[in-house]
Amino acid sequence: MKNSLLKTDEIGVFALGGLGEVGKNLYVLEISNQIFLLDCGIMFPDAHLLGIDYVLPDFTYLEENKERIVGLFITHGHEDHIGGIPYLLRKVNIPKIYASGFAVSLIKAKLGEFTDIKMPKIENYESHSKYYFKDVEVSFVRLNHSIPDMHGIAFKTPLGYIFHTGDFKIDLTPVGPGAEYHKLTKMGEEGMLLVLSDSTNAERDETIQSERAIGESINDLFYNIKGRIIIATFASNIYRMQQIIDASILSNRQVAVIGRSMENAIEIGLQSGYIKAPKDIFVKPEDINRIPPERLTILSTGSQGEPLAALSRIAAGSHRFIKAIPGDTVIFSSSPIPGNQEPINRTINALFRIGADVITHGPLADTHTSGHGNQFDLKLLLSLTKPKFFIPVHGEHRMLKFHRDLAISVGVDPQNILIMDNGDVAAVSKDKIRLAGRVQADDVYVDGTGIGDISNNIIRERKMLSDDGMFAVIITVDNQNRKIIGDPTIISRGFIYMKGNEALTDALANDTKEFVTNVFNNKNLISESEFKTKLSDYLTDKIYDITQRKPMIIPVIRNFNTTDL
Ligand SMILES: [Zn+2]
Ligand SMILES: [Zn+2]
């Protein structure tokens, strides 16, 4: 089957995730009727998706066109780029996954947790590797990010190069190997058809520190702190964890690792050689009380104030092994992800209350830097690669817009830039880029073991329940004689506390009784569902008048013999 949206010789480019959001990146290239997949991530839901564990890309299009998929190419091992792989493999067979170094270790560890999935073929590419398909040569460009082995991926096509940057920043003094900027220039000279580039920090024009500078700043901090150090960072930032281990060695401290995701990351890092540390540097959490405070670093999850993470539990005094004490210094080696400031503040306040000192990233202490390039970096990448066409990716709509302006400022023709949503299909030819149509690209929610069985309606109901609670009214009717039997029973949860509000519930019970009697007195017959809707609407208005709240109303009608009242 062909993609009917594309003309012969046109290349199709679209996203099933990653546009209009930071997360669940999955980009699709269709070249000479072959489907190339780029990354397959998950997204962590924000607070309005109540009870949802993850959000996945919609794989429907890939299921419908699975015979044309030639491979999945992974830029790097962050969850928003690899987290969706097990779920994708359950739906479609991927001939081969191409990933590099540390990403391979992380993918294998992840797939090991899904016993129902057969391990796919994984090709461990290096930055000089090349793979050949019909009309396409795939090659790689090492770039710098907050995790080892991040590569941009280039597709050499009959129309020119298509280059997907992955997540990157320009870091001239990186931790780990340097970036291959010369390859970018070379592709630019040979003819760059299209660039898809990381938009995460397209709004930021301030300098983004080199990873190495943060290492030095952490060394200074550790040197000057006398008591115990509790330091929280992202479990995805392998370089930072290494720097914290190095600073601990320099300041003669042992390291306790707390929190499951951090323990996993350290484990995989040590096994694959991406984290280097002498074995005896680590101390088990249950043994930390044997170590003098000035000889101990506690490396912890919870830098975003996540309520169940180790640091939040330490701050709340509910951690199994670790109690914060006066004299402790807690360092946030992270910056708040937008929306997380409030839980972080709660954690910081709790720590201060205990008598701990708290250091966050700011003008006084460089404890964190972003893994994503600022405006300068993004403009430099576009200037080196000189693309004819440009699609900003990996970002919320606002970030994509900012990135578009940056591209225009370095000379990309505004008509050659497309800002797209997930599912929008761009058709690219030698001298034109056009929106050709759409493919299905909804959000798919994972809730516990259920995948895709949670709809937007359920999210809306959860939202309603969490805002205003629920109000159930149970009535028994004798529909032969068209009358209500007894008084309605009212149950409320999360709306009003029943005890002490008897006057209100009595009034609502009476109103319900009156309403039902009126319906019976009316000669017109109505169906049960129509009846329930009317009763809900009636009670919604009544309750809103009295309380200004809109709980979910659940009418339950018992003792029905026929469907008509
Ligand atoms: Zn990343
Ligand atoms: Zn990312």
Side-chain angles (χ1 to χ4, degrees):
M1 212 172 70
K2 277 177 80 96
N3 186 335
S4 56
L5 300 172
L6 302 173
K7 294 180 200 149
T8 325
D9 296 337
E10 273 183 334
I11 291 174
V13 184
F14 59 94
L16 295 173
L19 298 181
E21 61 197 2
V22 174
K24 68 176 170 72
N25 293 283
L26 172 49
Y27 305 96
V28 182
L29 297 183
E30 295 200 20
I31 311 170
S32 301
N33 213 29
Q34 307 158 97
I35 292 180
F36 297 84
L37 304 179
L38 278 157
D39 290 333
C40 183
I42 49 170
M43 184 162 67
F44 295 100
D46 55 23
H48 84 275
L49 289 175
L50 299 158
I52 297 300
D53 301 325
Y54 308 118
V55 188
L56 290 177
D58 188 331
F59 300 133
T60 310
Y61 182 84
L62 303 180
E63 286 177 79
E64 288 167 0
N65 294 276
K66 55 181 176 240
E67 71 288 345
R68 294 198 289 127
I69 300 174
V70 295
L72 166 61
F73 292 82
I74 300 295
T75 57
H76 67 294
H78 278 156
E79 283 294 316
D80 59 324
H81 299 260
I82 65 165
I85 293 175
Y87 304 96
L88 175 67
L89 292 175
R90 277 187 184 150
K91 299 270 184 190
V92 293
N93 175 48
I94 301 290
K96 207 180 263 183
I97 297 176
Y98 299 79
S100 184
F102 192 47
V104 174
S105 308
L106 291 168
I107 292 168
K108 284 188 173 162
K110 175 175 292 298
L111 288 173
E113 291 170 21
F114 289 74
T115 45
D116 61 313
I117 294 169
K118 195 171 134 255
M119 193 63 82
K121 281 194 203 123
I122 302 178
E123 174 83 11
N124 191 342
Y125 69 76
E126 301 200 39
S127 65
H128 56 76
S129 302
K130 284 197 164 100
Y131 299 98
Y132 297 90
F133 299 85
K134 181 171 180 269
D135 297 335
V136 182
E137 175 195 290
V138 183
S139 61
F140 307 91
V141 180
R142 182 180 282 283
L143 294 174
N144 295 122
H145 185 43
S146 49
I147 190 169
D149 299 329
M150 164 36 234
H151 292 85
I153 303 181
F155 297 79
K156 190 177 184 183
T157 78
L159 304 183
Y161 280 101
I162 295 178
F163 182 58
H164 174 73
T165 63
D167 295 3
F168 78 101
K169 68 170 172 179
I170 305 289
D171 189 343
L172 298 176
T173 55
V175 177
E180 299 172 318
Y181 300 115
H182 59 284
K183 287 188 182 172
L184 300 176
T185 322
K186 189 156 173 288
M187 286 191 289
E189 275 168 6
E190 284 181 32
M192 183 62 79
L193 181 72
L194 167 69
V195 160
L196 303 126
S197 178
D198 174 6
S199 309
T200 313
N201 279 340
E203 290 166 285
R204 293 178 57 177
D205 67 349
E206 72 272 23
T207 311
I208 288 176
Q209 283 278 19
S210 165
E211 264 324 304
R212 192 178 299 261
I214 302 305
E216 284 156 15
S217 151
I218 289 175
N219 284 345
D220 289 349
L221 273 176
F222 275 40
Y223 183 79
N224 290 311
I225 292 169
K226 296 289 167 264
R228 211 162 60 153
I229 295 173
I230 303 173
I231 183 163
T233 189
F234 300 107
S236 58
N237 193 329
I238 294 292
Y239 292 137
R240 193 65 46 75
M241 286 184 255
Q242 180 72 59
Q243 288 167 333
I244 290 165
I245 291 167
D246 292 346
S248 300
I249 295 170
L250 278 177
S251 58
N252 215 350
R253 291 169 182 270
Q254 282 192 281
V255 180
V257 181
I258 314 285
R260 205 172 80 92
S261 57
M262 192 72 82
E263 288 167 45
N264 285 347
I266 294 267
E267 184 70 37
I268 297 168
L270 287 169
Q271 270 173 18
S272 56
Y274 284 86
I275 292 181
K276 293 185 177 57
K279 273 246 140 46
D280 58 4
I281 186 105
F282 294 105
V283 49
K284 289 204 182 87
E286 53 267 41
D287 294 337
I288 57 166
N289 291 333
R290 285 197 242 129
I291 315 279
E294 69 280 10
R295 295 273 160 269
L296 183 65
T297 302
I298 296 170
L299 174 55
S300 167
T301 54
S303 67
Q304 297 300 309
E306 309 93 313
L308 297 177
L311 185 61
S312 314
R313 284 189 280 140
I314 293 169
S318 62
H319 195 276
R320 209 142 61 97
F321 299 115
I322 300 162
K323 297 255 169 299
I325 44 170
D328 282 352
T329 303
V330 180
I331 302 173
F332 284 77
S333 185
S334 57
S335 53
I337 292 169
N340 290 350
Q341 194 61 60
E342 200 188 305
I344 294 172
N345 286 347
R346 207 175 304 135
T347 305
I348 293 174
N349 281 323
L351 290 164
F352 272 127
R353 204 178 278 277
I354 294 165
D357 214 354
V358 180
I359 298 173
T360 55
H361 174 63
L364 294 178
D366 267 334
T367 63
H368 181 64
T369 185
S370 171
H372 302 270
N374 68 356
Q375 296 186 338
F376 175 85
D377 300 10
L378 301 180
K379 285 191 282 190
L380 181 60
L381 184 122
L382 288 163
S383 302
L384 295 177
T385 53
K386 294 189 293 201
K388 177 158 185 129
F389 302 113
F390 175 54
I391 300 175
V393 298
H394 199 290
E396 294 169 15
H397 192 73
R398 186 183 74 251
M399 303 164 185
L400 306 180
K401 275 259 161 72
F402 269 90
H403 205 173
R404 175 180 191 270
D405 293 345
L406 296 176
I408 294 169
S409 77
V410 296
V412 182
D413 184 343
Q415 290 192 355
N416 290 353
I417 304 172
L418 275 190
I419 294 191
M420 307 202 299
D421 284 316
N422 291 333
D424 286 343
V425 178
V428 187
S429 59
K430 190 120 201 95
D431 36 39
K432 200 174 162 211
I433 188 165
R434 64 180 183 98
L435 269 179
R438 278 189 62 77
V439 299
Q440 187 179 325
D442 297 325
D443 286 348
V444 175
Y445 302 132
V446 181
D447 180 7
T449 55
I451 299 160
D453 56 353
I454 303 281
S455 66
N456 282 323
N457 286 335
I458 294 185
I459 300 292
R460 212 171 300 129
E461 285 179 6
R462 287 182 183 179
K463 171 101 176 63
M464 216 169 160
L465 285 170
S466 79
D467 283 350
D468 289 321
M470 66 145 241
F471 179 91
V473 52
I474 304 166
I475 53 176
T476 309
V477 295
D478 172 355
N479 54 346
Q480 303 287 247
N481 299 307
R482 295 177 69 79
K483 62 174 198 197
I484 184 164
I485 300 169
D487 286 327
T489 307
I490 285 176
I491 300 169
S492 122
R493 291 286 182 273
F495 162 54
I496 47 165
Y497 195 52
M498 304 285 288
K499 224 170 148 190
N501 278 304
E502 288 86 354
L504 177 61
T505 47
D506 285 353
L508 290 168
N510 280 334
D511 290 341
T512 304
K513 205 168 174 178
E514 202 174 300
F515 177 82
V516 176
T517 310
N518 280 338
V519 171
F520 280 132
N521 287 343
N522 194 315
K523 293 274 174 305
N524 296 331
L525 297 183
I526 58 172
S527 72
E528 179 180 341
S529 69
E530 206 180 328
F531 176 77
K532 281 183 174 170
T533 311
K534 280 194 170 197
L535 179 57
S536 292
D537 292 349
Y538 172 76
L539 285 172
T540 302
D541 291 347
K542 265 252 144 24
I543 290 173
Y544 188 76
D545 282 348
I546 304 168
T547 65
Q548 319 290 279
R549 287 182 226 170
K550 284 194 168 173
M552 179 183 290
I553 304 215
I554 305 170
V556 181
I557 300 170
R558 299 182 358 186
N559 204 16
F560 263 78
N561 306 324
T562 66
T563 50
D564 291 329
L565 295 173

